[in-house]
Amino acid sequence: MSDVPESHPRYESLRLRDRLVAGVEAGITSAHGLIAHGRGEAYDYLLGETGGPWATTATEATAAWLLRASHPVLSVNGNTASLVPEDLVRLSTATGAPLEVNIFHTSSDRERAMAEHLKAHGATDVLLPDGVTAIEGIDSNRRFVHSDGILQADVIFVPLEDGDRCGALRRLGRDVLTVDLNPLSRTARTATVTIVDNVVRALPALLDQVERLRDQGEAALDGIIRDFDNTSVLAQAEQRIRTGGR
Ligand code: PTJ
């Protein structure tokens, strides 16, 4: 932690920056991840730095999709590995969905460092791309996956995603659940479910929803899935940004 005093009005925000800088220094987060985080901060500021009703609705739907999936997978990148490692491990345990490292900016060293970091936060097993198995329709490093993970998955949780992979997975008929502070991004618009909130708030809220819905019957979960409208939650978030909540 840097020398930011706890009394600083932007303490929480600065603490998150510290976590990402530490992630870069530890070889977990890409330097590009700092820029991506800055873009997220700007949207977070405009959204009032709180999850609104759009996020609550999408979080409930994400929980329902994960609980109803046959083969869910949680995809982890360098930013989420630094920001929410414990929550990702807890979500994996709560849903039975394996954690799979999948990064945009190619680095085998970073993949290994991320897996070790997740294990240090309680993960027993972390899937890594094998360098051979690839998803069609993606040109970036994100195409490389694990043959028992994303390759087989029907539902993939991909917080802080880039639009290319999201679009490719949707074209392959997969359901993509994402967390993205930008309701205008290609990922936000292409995903099955978009939680427009900061991943550091979204993950604890998602864990709560998984626990709440865990004992609901299939019909109740299917009802949540059927009634969910991603266009509507994105419009609500965009409206919040445009009006400042007035
Ligand atoms: O570790 P890698 O190599 O996979 O790289 C990860 C990043 C995030 C650098 C890479 O996926 C990337 O460049 O992503 P983009 O295309 O910049 O998109 C990231 C999206 O996440 C943007 O729409 C941001 O607004 C959003 N975002 C950034 N920080 C947060 C966030 N959304 C939720 N919570 C955040 N903390």
Side-chain angles (χ1 to χ4, degrees):
M1 185 70 187
S2 67
D3 54 358
V4 177
E6 284 187 36
S7 58
H8 192 287
R10 302 290 305 156
Y11 177 73
E12 282 305 321
S13 169
L14 294 168
R15 205 172 55 93
L16 292 186
R17 287 185 182 185
D18 270 346
R19 236 186 271 172
L20 284 172
V21 170
V24 173
E25 288 169 355
I28 292 163
T29 303
S30 155
H32 305 83
L34 301 178
I35 299 168
H37 185 76
R39 179 158 51 168
E41 275 187 353
Y43 279 101
D44 206 7
Y45 198 83
L46 294 169
L47 286 160
E49 294 178 316
T50 174
W54 56 87
T56 307
T57 306
T59 303
E60 181 187 56
T62 299
W65 245 282
L66 285 172
L67 290 169
R68 286 293 282 135
S70 303
H71 189 64
V73 171
L74 311 180
S75 179
V76 185
N77 70 20
N79 284 47
T80 55
S82 284
L83 288 174
V84 284
E86 279 146 18
D87 289 336
L88 285 167
V89 173
R90 287 176 60 208
L91 186 63
S92 173
T93 306
T95 59
L99 295 163
E100 179 164 341
V101 168
N102 183 284
I103 57 177
F104 182 79
H105 299 286
T106 315
S107 163
S108 308
D109 286 348
R110 196 154 62 86
E111 287 167 356
R112 279 192 292 275
M114 286 170 62
E116 288 311 310
H117 185 64
L118 291 166
K119 286 180 183 167
H121 284 85
T124 47
D125 195 21
V126 178
L127 302 179
L128 288 168
D130 56 23
V132 180
T133 309
I135 294 269
E136 321 161 7
I138 311 171
D139 292 333
S140 76
N141 184 63
R142 284 207 193 281
R143 69 185 182 279
F144 294 116
V145 294
H146 190 285
S147 55
D148 297 330
I150 290 169
L151 185 73
Q152 311 283 346
D154 57 341
V155 174
I156 308 152
F157 180 63
V158 285
L160 278 72
E161 175 63 335
D162 72 282
D164 283 354
R165 181 170 63 147
C166 184
L169 290 172
R170 296 291 290 131
R171 283 193 294 281
L172 290 170
R174 318 298 180 85
D175 280 307
V176 176
L177 318 171
T178 193
V179 181
D180 193 332
L181 279 160
N182 178 3
L184 306 171
S185 77
R186 278 180 306 144
T187 300
R189 292 179 175 268
T190 317
T192 312
V193 181
T194 305
I195 302 173
V196 182
D197 197 3
N198 197 314
V199 73
V200 300
R201 290 188 299 268
L203 263 286
L206 179 55
L207 280 159
D208 287 348
Q209 289 284 3
V210 167
E211 288 316 314
R212 190 179 71 80
L213 295 179
R214 165 179 309 293
D215 297 325
Q216 305 268 326
E218 292 181 1
L221 297 177
D222 289 346
I224 292 170
I225 288 171
R226 196 180 48 243
D227 293 344
F228 180 74
D229 177 358
N230 206 43
T231 312
S232 166
V233 297
L234 292 177
Q236 289 171 41
E238 186 179 341
Q239 175 76 357
R240 172 65 176 82
I241 289 171
R242 289 188 186 280
T243 62
R246 288 181 293 277

